[in-house]
Structure formats: structure tokens, C-alpha cells
Amino acid sequence: DSGVTQTPKHLITATGQRVTLRCSPRSGDLSVYWYQQSLDQGLQFLIQYYNGEERAKGNILERFSAQQFPDLHSELNLSSLELGDSALYFCASSGKRGGSDTQYFGPGTRLTVL
Amino acid sequence: SQQGEEDPQALSIQEGENATMNCSYKTSINNLQWYRQNSGRGLVHLILIRSNEREKHSGRLRVTLDTSKKSSSLLITASRAADTASYFCATNSGYSTLTFGKGTMLLVSP
């Protein structure tokens, strides 16, 4: 158990819909990262927050957004969903800003868009 | 875009044998990390090796890093059926984000 929790575990929705994925980092970790894992693209970094502020951005679509709240939990919002958004979405957390350190991954949310 | 590329894509061995997986990357790094993922589940951190280190051990795991060749290898000794999983290398290049390879699927048969 990494100490990172993600909800929900599974999400099935239709194209055009909007969903919110939630992540609670390990106790004391200030950084939260979001990754998308799909069969064709592999594991892709989406976005990082550190102590409530956006720190780094990766291959995140404009239809996707995230935020980190004062209690350090984070939410990833996916809107106008397309079939290709079906994937595993992982959240990870770490303690340091500069982050040459270990990231601890949650169990993931499996999103299926029908 | 993928930074690391693991080789082989899939590996099948018997329990007790050693498993070696390789990772190549393209740009300079601060550190390289190896993760394990059991089917469809979360990633588990195995080991981190910094750019100024050449070899690191953790239990049955041995990782080497050759920055001149931009490559790393993960050796699992005396493999067990429970080692069956996908193994990913991930590089860190200054910011805290990790860039993952596509992984090696390891199957260890009893």
C-alpha cells in the first residue's frame, strides 16, 4: 500500500460527458502528479501540482484540468469525453518540489468511455 | 513522448532463473527509476539510481546505469512466480516529472 488513494476505482461513462477523478496523496507529501496509461500511448505525464500550485505540465489536453486543494488532495477533471480518453489514470505523490525522489503511485482509476 | 525504451518487450523464464531488462533513453538525466506494475494495478517503486551512480542493489534487484551509453539494466536474480509483472524504467531530467518507457512484460513460470 503506497498511501496514495484514488477514487473511484472504475468509471464508465458516455462520450461528451464530464468526470472528476480524486486523489489523496501520502501524508506529508506536497506534490501530486497525474498520469494517463493507455495501450497505445503508454504512461504519459499529464500535470503536477505542488502545495496547491501548478508546477509542471505534460501532455494534458485542453479538455482536461486539475487542481490541488488546501488539504493537498487533488482532482482531475475530464470533459467532453471521447472514446480515446478511455485509459487508466494514476495519481502519484512525492515530498519534494524539485523531485529527484521517489513518486508513490495510487491504484488508479480505470475510465471507460462508451 | 517516450524517453525510455525497454528491451525486450516481453520475457518468459522459469522460476529460479535470472531476468535482465534493459532501458535506453535519449536525453541527460538526474536519475533513473524502475517500477513494477502487476496487471492493471498501480505502479510500485523498485529502485532509484542517480546519474552519478553506476550500480545499485536492493534485495534480489541489481540496477546498472551507463550514462555514456544512455542505458540502464535491471537484473532480477532467482526469479519467483510472484515477480510476474510489467517493469518500467522512468527517467527524471531536472523537473520532478518522470518519463516512462513502454515496459517489459515478465512472465515467470513455476
Side-chain angles (χ1 to χ4, degrees):
Chain A
D1 183 0
S2 67
V4 178
T5 60
Q6 289 186 248
T7 57
K9 279 188 177 178
H10 300 278
L11 203 46
I12 301 174
T13 189
T15 54
Q17 295 298 306
R18 172 190 169 94
V19 297
T20 297
L21 313 184
R22 182 188 168 103
C23 167
S24 292
R26 290 189 322 154
S27 177
D29 281 356
L30 297 177
S31 277
V32 170
Y33 312 78
W34 286 96
Y35 293 85
Q36 179 194 59
Q37 185 178 33
S38 62
L39 280 174
D40 55 343
Q41 294 291 325
L43 262 161
Q44 300 272 332
F45 166 71
L46 296 178
I47 197 163
Q48 179 207 355
Y49 278 81
Y50 174 81
N51 204 20
E53 294 190 3
E54 183 182 305
R55 174 75 177 93
K57 222 168 183 176
N59 299 320
I60 188 165
L61 300 172
E62 285 191 11
R63 299 183 286 109
F64 296 180
S65 65
Q67 53 184 327
Q68 186 179 28
F69 295 86
D71 67 352
L72 300 177
H73 91 271
S74 177
E75 292 181 357
L76 179 67
N77 301 295
L78 315 176
S79 61
S80 303
L81 285 168
E82 302 175 358
L83 295 177
D85 298 328
S86 295
L88 263 171
Y89 291 85
F90 288 106
C91 162
S93 75
S94 70
K96 299 179 185 177
R97 181 172 189 265
S100 288
D101 65 346
T102 300
Q103 293 184 21
Y104 295 89
F105 281 74
T109 292
R110 183 173 293 280
L111 173 66
T112 302
V113 182
L114 301 175
Chain B
S1 62
Q2 304 298 124
Q3 157 83 304
E5 287 189 14
E6 290 91 341
D7 171 66
Q9 288 187 341
L11 180 60
S12 181
I13 59 174
Q14 300 285 318
E15 263 191 328
E17 295 180 341
N18 295 343
T20 299
M21 289 159 265
N22 303 297
C23 169
S24 60
Y25 56 91
K26 296 172 186 171
T27 63
S28 61
I29 61 172
N30 282 345
N31 65 66
L32 185 145
Q33 304 180 33
W34 285 90
Y35 285 81
R36 184 186 76 225
Q37 183 181 32
N38 290 80
S39 178
R41 302 179 73 176
L43 284 87
V44 174
H45 181 261
L46 296 176
I47 198 164
L48 180 153
I49 186 165
R50 302 191 187 282
S51 60
N52 60 354
E53 297 175 311
R54 291 298 166 257
E55 187 171 314
K56 209 161 180 181
H57 297 255
S58 176
R60 294 183 296 112
L61 306 180
R62 173 179 168 250
V63 168
T64 61
L65 179 65
D66 186 335
T67 53
S68 67
K69 294 180 180 178
K70 292 187 169 57
S71 67
S72 173
S73 67
L74 170 67
L75 168 68
I76 304 174
T77 60
S79 61
R80 306 165 181 167
D83 295 328
T84 294
S86 290
Y87 291 81
F88 295 88
C89 70
T91 54
N92 171 271
S93 302
Y95 286 102
S96 47
T97 61
L98 293 176
T99 305
F100 284 84
K102 294 217 167 188
T104 292
M105 291 179 57
L106 174 65
L107 173 64
V108 182
S109 303

